[in-house]
Amino acid sequence: QFSDFVKIVEVGPRDGLQNEKKILPTEVKVNFIDKLSATGLRSIEVTSFVSPKWVPQMADNHQVFQHIKKRNGVSYPVLVPNLKGLQSAIAAGVKEIAVFGAASETFCKMNINCSIEESVRNFRIVVEEAKKHDIRTRGYISCIVGCPYEGETKPATTAHLASIMLDLGCYEISLGDTIGVGSPRKIKRVLNELFHISSNDMSCYALHCHDTYGQALMNIHVGLENDIKVFDSSVAGLGGCPYAAGASGNVATEDLLYFLQGQGLETGIDLDEIVGIGDYISKELNRINQSKTGVAVLAK
Ligand code: HMG
Ligand code: MG
């Protein structure tokens, strides 16, 4: 039914750790990322070059990026909110960045302290400057189906922002169900709208599901049915967003892998190794492992 390779973007070291009360020592973050690098993952989002006043968990971005072992064939994107962040990322040797906006005015304001329009102006500056340094840019859109402050999002709002970000030069748009309120029908509505703006080519989209209401894998299945081949996840279901009250973690990489394998799809990633890393990081954080697959495999 689906062509068989699916790419997973591991966002645990960024989306996961940005939301933890316990700030891990830099060495542990580096060790965590180095372990992930050896599993077959092709893309690991490692940190963010945001204001440390806003997200102190990511304040060691430069050290983390410099100390991780970069494997051939693996991308190590970082989040960048503005030119200042881009300059720091360039100084650290970053080759791929992600800019991040939202399909909700209030969320945009709470997360990056500006309106959607201002954010677009800012993306343009960042993407243009990144191009000059041969840095490629991924774009995130948060709140594609719902916002913690404004409720439901209109599919047209998400599609409009996606088309702008693609025009600016983002090579891929990661569609964030930031607070995990999406269900298959709602995700399908957004994807239908996106279908139109990209001339029926879905290869420029990724789906970024949080599992707050336990809908993530169902939503990912809808993504697969609609030709999406890239999914963001985090080991042990780490994650959340500091500006999205009530949002729980990303879909767990272990659960996503088990699901994709069950569907006969290839990822090139070793499930047992991922399970071991989920266990390792949960222990470092003193946190219950949120992956059902992780818990089941570890109990064997
Ligand atoms: P602001 O306060 O409006 O910015 O914040 P400012 O320009 O007035 O700067 C304030 C201070 O921050 C200044 O320092 C700047 O130098 C400094 P001061 O002069 O007071 O000492 N600053 C920086 N420092 C380091 N790196 C920078 C930087 N920029 C300014 N890049 C800003 C605006 C965008 C900076 C702030 O709102 C911010 O950093 N926001 C980031 C929030 C964030 O990281 N959120 C989580 C990621 S998004 C997410 O999780 C969703 C996602 O997973 C998808 C999904 O699930 O939907 C991606
Ligand atoms: Mg997220």
Side-chain angles (χ1 to χ4, degrees):
Q1 190 186 357
F2 312 122
S3 98
D4 37 328
F5 189 82
V6 170
K7 181 176 169 187
I8 294 184
V9 177
E10 169 62 47
V11 296
R14 193 280 305 170
D15 206 350
L17 300 185
Q18 75 180 8
N19 205 44
E20 291 292 330
K21 274 197 203 75
K22 180 170 173 185
I23 302 186
L24 292 178
T26 305
E27 308 84 80
V28 175
K29 295 182 184 178
V30 169
N31 194 22
F32 175 40
I33 296 162
D34 285 347
K35 284 174 188 286
L36 289 168
S37 278
T39 60
L41 279 161
R42 311 272 172 103
S43 185
I44 307 169
E45 198 174 71
V46 288
T47 186
S48 57
F49 287 81
V50 299
S51 168
K53 290 184 182 143
W54 286 63
V55 185
Q57 290 89 337
M58 299 284 115
D60 59 354
N61 42 32
H62 186 90
Q63 294 90 314
V64 168
F65 195 85
Q66 292 246 293
H67 286 104
I68 54 172
K69 290 192 200 85
K70 283 103 182 164
R71 279 207 175 214
N72 279 340
V74 183
S75 311
Y76 299 94
V78 303
L79 251 55
V80 162
N82 52 19
L83 210 47
K84 185 180 170 83
L86 178 63
Q87 279 152 358
S88 308
I90 291 169
V94 164
K95 299 273 185 290
E96 179 177 339
I97 60 165
V99 293
F100 50 107
S104 145
E105 284 292 349
T106 314
F107 187 85
C108 192
K109 178 77 187 161
M110 299 297 279
N111 197 36
I112 49 175
N113 204 21
C114 62
S115 67
I116 295 176
E117 201 181 320
E118 286 166 330
S119 76
V120 167
R121 235 175 285 142
N122 198 24
F123 299 153
R124 188 183 306 278
I125 296 168
V126 171
V127 177
E128 285 302 318
E129 188 61 24
K131 277 182 203 158
K132 290 184 200 153
H133 293 266
D134 275 331
I135 292 174
R136 62 178 197 156
T137 306
R138 192 177 198 233
Y140 273 106
I141 301 178
S142 286
C143 303
I144 63 154
V145 283
C147 163
Y149 312 104
E150 293 185 10
E152 279 209 19
T153 304
K154 289 198 183 76
T157 310
T158 299
H160 180 64
L161 185 55
S163 76
I164 293 173
M165 291 173 89
L166 288 169
D167 285 347
L168 289 179
C170 293
Y171 76 90
E172 180 174 282
I173 303 297
S174 177
L175 304 161
D177 181 10
T178 315
I179 50 170
V181 290
S183 54
R185 209 162 61 101
K186 291 181 181 171
I187 296 287
K188 172 82 179 141
R189 268 175 50 207
V190 183
L191 296 182
N192 278 346
E193 199 80 24
L194 289 163
F195 216 64
H196 297 306
I197 63 153
S198 58
S199 322
N200 299 353
D201 177 10
M202 299 302 270
S203 63
C204 56
Y205 302 116
L207 207 51
H208 177 107
C209 295
H210 285 256
D211 203 27
T212 318
Y213 290 87
Q215 306 291 301
L217 288 178
M218 298 283 286
N219 294 338
I220 287 168
H221 191 255
V222 170
L224 286 168
E225 282 177 335
N226 288 275
D227 290 336
I228 296 214
K229 299 279 170 26
V230 185
F231 299 94
D232 301 352
S233 62
S234 60
V235 284
L238 299 178
C241 177
Y243 304 102
S248 66
N250 294 87
V251 65
T253 307
E254 298 89 324
D255 298 0
L256 177 58
L257 275 174
Y258 186 86
F259 167 70
L260 293 173
Q261 284 178 5
Q263 298 298 104
L265 296 166
E266 270 306 317
T267 60
I269 302 166
D270 188 304
L271 174 60
D272 288 328
E273 281 180 35
I274 291 284
V275 167
I277 299 169
D279 183 44
Y280 160 77
I281 200 66
S282 299
K283 285 178 178 148
E284 288 289 343
L285 289 165
N286 265 325
R287 188 183 199 278
I288 294 168
N289 190 333
Q290 298 292 321
S291 166
K292 292 213 168 190
T293 297
V295 170
V297 172
L298 289 164
K300 273 206 260 178

